[in-house]
Structures are given as C-alpha cells and as structure tokens.
Amino acid sequence: MITAKARAVDGPDKPFRAAEIKRRDLDSQDILIEIKFAGICHSDIHTAHGEWGPVNYPLVPGHEIAGIVTAVGPHVTKYKVGDRVGVGCMVDSCGECENCLKGEEQYCLKGNVPTYAGVDKYGEPTQGGYSTHIVVTEDFVVRIPDSIELDAAAPLLCAGITTYSPLNHWGAGPGKKVAVVGMGGLGHMAVQIAHAMGAEVTVLSQTLSKKEDGLQLGADHYYATSDPETFEKLAGRFDLMINTVSASINMDAYFSLLTLDGTLVNVGAPGEPLSLNVMSLIGHRRSFAGSMIGGIRETQEMLDFCAQHSIVPKIEVISADQIDEAYKRVLASDVKYRFVIDISTM
C-alpha cells in the first residue's frame, strides 16, 4: 500500500484537515501518479457539503488532477515513468456495456466509478486529487500535451471537458450562434472553446462586471441578464445555449432565446429541481438537454484541441491550507476563474 498525504473533510460543516490515505498497490494495468496540481470544482463543494446525497466521510475531493507518472504495472502499455498525465471525474467503468464500448464511459449503464465519493471494483471508497498520489488504471488516464502547463491543465479535466463535450456533440461551429449562460469556471472555458470551434459566441451573465474578460476570451457579444431588455432583444436568437450555472434560473425566459430547433444544454448541476413550462419548448420545437463530462477518448481530444488553439483556463494557484477560504470565495463568485491547489504544499 502507498501512503499519500491529503486534505480531508469529516462532514458537511467541517473544515479541511491534514490526513494520510492509503492508495492500493499497483495492479497489472495501474499507474501511480504523483499529483502536482488539483483544481477545485463546484462539484467538490456540493459533495463536501453533502448537498448531492449521503457522503461516506472522511472525504478527499478533487477530480481535476495533473501530475507525473512515477510507477507502472507490468502490463501497462500506454504510459511510462515521467509522462505528464491527467485524471478527471472518473477512474473506472464496467467496460462492457453498450455505452462503454462506444467510448462514452461517463454514461456507463452500470455506473462509472467517480474519482472520489465512489466505490471501486475492490470495494474500497475512492478518494480524489487533494492528495499527493493516486493509483488509476491506465485506460482512465489522459496525456497532457507539452504545451500546456500542469497547473493550467488541471481544470481542463473537468471544466474543459464538461463544456467541450456538449459543444462538440451539438455541433458548435461556423454559422452557429452559441450562448454561454454564466461567466465562471465552466463559462469562461465554454467561451474559449466555442470561439475556437468557429461559432458566434454570446455571454449571458447576471451583470456586465466580467464583460471585458469575456470579450478578451473570444465572446462576440456580452449581455446582462439582470436587464429585462436583454430577453426582448435576443428572443429567438440562438441555435445552442450552454447553461453553466449551478443555481435555479427562469428556464422559460432562457428557452425564449432559442431559435427554431434550438437546444439548451444544462451542464451546471443545481442542488434543487428546476421548473419549466413545456409550452416554452413546444412552440418552436426547442429542446432541453443535459450533458456530463466526456469519455476518455473525447477528453484526450479536448486536451489536444486546447493545445492546438492555445486554450487554457484562468487560474489562481493556492496552497493546501487555503482550501476552506477558496470554497467560500467560489460560493461568493470571487474567483477568476478556477482555483488550483499546489500539491507540493501538502
């Protein structure tokens, strides 16, 4: 067994504390990764606070992981010691169901194994990237291109793929009008990716406070949703909308912004149910969809795409002792745009 230093939380209202966790010995196709950086995702906060259901505490969150391979199992063929690699939101799946065979492991019919707050095939609880080391089967590891720094790469493993996947699936590109709802950790990635795909990009944010950033990152237009005239002016405008907001919003108002056959895709995951009037969809054959992360193949495609187009998140690097403060600042929308933990500070 491998002992890793970590930061763990013991309950919904508890602060993070220093901890040691055990990582399994390497199986034949496992690799040992020395984690260099781990991003903080809003999902970490929801889970740590027990907002998405019961949690088996103590919990080590973190599913935006960037590091270096330090050991490999005897049958590993994809990676070698010294490789720059990443791990995202899942570390295993059944590998046999229809969705897994299609390369859509995130939708495994038996349920994928999440990087933390799950149970692995050995019956052990999974613990995430707020730690110095992790052991993962090679099929759930991706290669980080040399042109992307490891600290900037970490948020791509969730924020990057969570926005790339729906933009890719629903065909964002030249001739398409794409709206990004929310200008946070997910939203600022969606803007860059949609722009690089060739779409006309509009940001819909509560205020204009981040307008300069949005335009700099590639948005063509930027509107405040707190202004009622925004919804009148943009009615029937967009082919695709990516809603990155993890809070309840007036869905019917946003549906009114879709064109004929337009689609609104939710990637933000509010803790409470959303309500809508189905007539908002029926009237113009509009669609309301959801999307998770991407599969491993698509995640590697996303990393290569970001490297090709020089897309990286805007990050603030923090020490391990600043996690609690960072959580508070995320909830207060006081970050531009993703916190990343320097694991050397463990």
Side-chain angles (χ1 to χ4, degrees), residues 155-166:
L156 296 178
L157 278 304
C158 178
I161 187 58
T162 297
T163 50
Y164 179 90
S165 188

Side-chain angles (χ1 to χ4, degrees), residues 92-340:
D92 209 349
S93 71
C94 80
E96 300 173 348
C97 71
E98 179 182 357
N99 292 348
C100 285
L101 293 175
K102 288 179 178 177
E104 302 280 10
E105 303 93 345
Q106 73 276 32
Y107 302 122
C108 176
L109 295 175
K110 296 182 181 179
N112 71 63
V113 178
T115 305
Y116 64 85
V119 178
D120 66 21
K121 63 184 177 183
Y122 304 98
E124 298 296 324
T126 57
Q127 302 287 9
Y130 297 7
S131 59
T132 54
H133 297 81
I134 191 169
V135 175
V136 185
T137 181
E138 65 173 336
D139 288 341
F140 282 78
V141 174
V142 289
R143 189 177 304 278
I144 296 175
D146 290 339
S147 62
I148 303 177
E149 297 293 334
L150 289 180
D151 56 356
L156 296 178
L157 278 304
C158 178
I161 187 58
T162 297
T163 50
Y164 179 90
S165 188
L167 289 166
N168 185 39
H169 181 79
W170 274 276
K176 293 290 185 72
K177 292 182 170 63
V178 174
V180 176
V181 182
M183 185 63 185
L186 291 174
H188 93 291
M189 291 305 308
V191 168
Q192 295 182 78
I193 293 168
H195 173 73
M197 288 178 170
E200 180 182 322
V201 183
T202 298
V203 175
L204 302 174
S205 186
Q206 194 169 12
T207 71
L208 298 178
S209 64
K210 300 176 183 176
K211 180 176 180 179
E212 185 176 342
D213 286 355
L215 297 177
Q216 187 179 47
L217 291 173
D220 298 285
H221 316 284
Y222 201 110
Y223 292 90
T225 56
S226 56
D227 181 355
E229 291 187 5
T230 291
F231 290 90
E232 298 175 15
K233 184 173 184 178
L234 301 179
R237 172 76 64 92
F238 302 109
D239 303 294
L240 176 64
M241 298 178 70
I242 306 296
N243 178 22
T244 71
V245 177
S246 292
S248 181
I249 61 174
N250 183 345
M251 300 306 302
D252 298 304
Y254 286 88
F255 290 144
S256 73
L257 305 183
L258 292 171
T259 187
L260 177 67
D261 291 324
T263 300
L264 189 156
V265 184
N266 241 69
V267 295
E272 65 281 347
L274 298 175
S275 63
L276 61 93
N277 184 342
V278 73
M279 294 304 294
S280 301
L281 300 174
I282 290 175
H284 288 79
R285 204 164 57 200
R286 295 162 173 150
S287 298
F288 181 31
S291 178
M292 275 191 5
I293 53 172
I296 299 302
R297 180 178 59 216
E298 189 177 41
T299 303
Q300 186 65 63
E301 178 184 302
M302 175 275 304
L303 287 169
D304 295 340
F305 180 89
C306 288
Q308 179 185 351
H309 294 277
S310 300
I311 295 172
V312 291
K314 288 184 175 293
I315 62 172
E316 182 176 334
V317 178
I318 63 170
S319 73
D321 292 334
Q322 295 176 292
I323 295 173
D324 290 306
E325 177 190 349
Y327 274 29
K328 292 176 184 176
R329 287 180 57 192
V330 170
L331 294 175
S333 299
D334 179 25
V335 56
K336 290 187 175 182
Y337 284 88
R338 207 68 163 181
F339 286 117
V340 174

